[in-house]
Amino acid sequence: GNLGNAVSAITGTSDGSKEFLIKTREEAVDVLSLAGIPFESLAVFDQRRRKTYKGTNIWPQKHAGSPARGGSSWQSLARGTGNIESEFLNGEIVKLGRMLGIKTPYNEILWHHAQQMADNMTQPGYYNVDHLHKEVELLSQKK
């Protein structure tokens, strides 16, 4: 469920990212399934999350060029902490995929851009979803 955190952090929004998020999660399902690692389906996660967090989220105030709401990765970039959780989310899928011979371009692009933005203390919204799709296409052609 948290694999998409980097999308809103990188693009500053979740608008237009549905297809990208689906592909990101499909890669993770393929990798985790082949590795024999149990995971919670998105439907179960969403149901559990609604029960747990309903009415308790306190989101950051609207940040220039960013949505009024942002997840933990978005908040890390907005605060300029210099670090981000993408290595432990998207990066783990990429590393496992490499070990298993499964391509994971969606997760790889998210990990790369999120980490680069954190390292450079770049604010959310530097890239758009179309740019991410093009990067995935280029990466897929290289390998």
Side-chain angles (χ1 to χ4, degrees), residues 5 9 60 63 70-86 114 117-119 121-124:
N5 287 4
H63 192 275
S72 53
S73 295
W74 179 91
Q75 291 175 40
S76 293
L77 292 181
R79 289 191 320 264
T81 63
N83 58 50
I84 196 162
E85 64 195 353
S86 61
M117 289 175 70
D119 291 345
M121 295 191 184
T122 305
Q123 289 293 298

Side-chain angles (χ1 to χ4, degrees), residues 7 10-11 15-17 20 105-106 109-110 112-114 116-117 125-139:
V7 174
I10 293 166
T11 66
D15 295 345
S17 64
F20 201 93
Y106 287 86
I109 289 299
L110 291 177
H112 170 77
H113 283 310
Q116 183 179 50
M117 289 175 70
Y126 189 78
Y127 298 100
N128 63 42
V129 175
D130 289 337
H131 175 86
L132 296 179
H133 278 291
K134 289 175 187 170
E135 291 269 335
V136 166
E137 188 176 314
L138 289 172
L139 183 62

Side-chain angles (χ1 to χ4, degrees), residues 28-49:
V29 167
D30 290 346
V31 166
L32 295 173
S33 295
L34 187 58
I37 298 172
F39 59 92
E40 187 174 64
S41 73
L42 186 58
V44 171
F45 172 76
D46 283 342
Q47 183 179 16
R48 181 177 54 79
R49 181 178 59 175

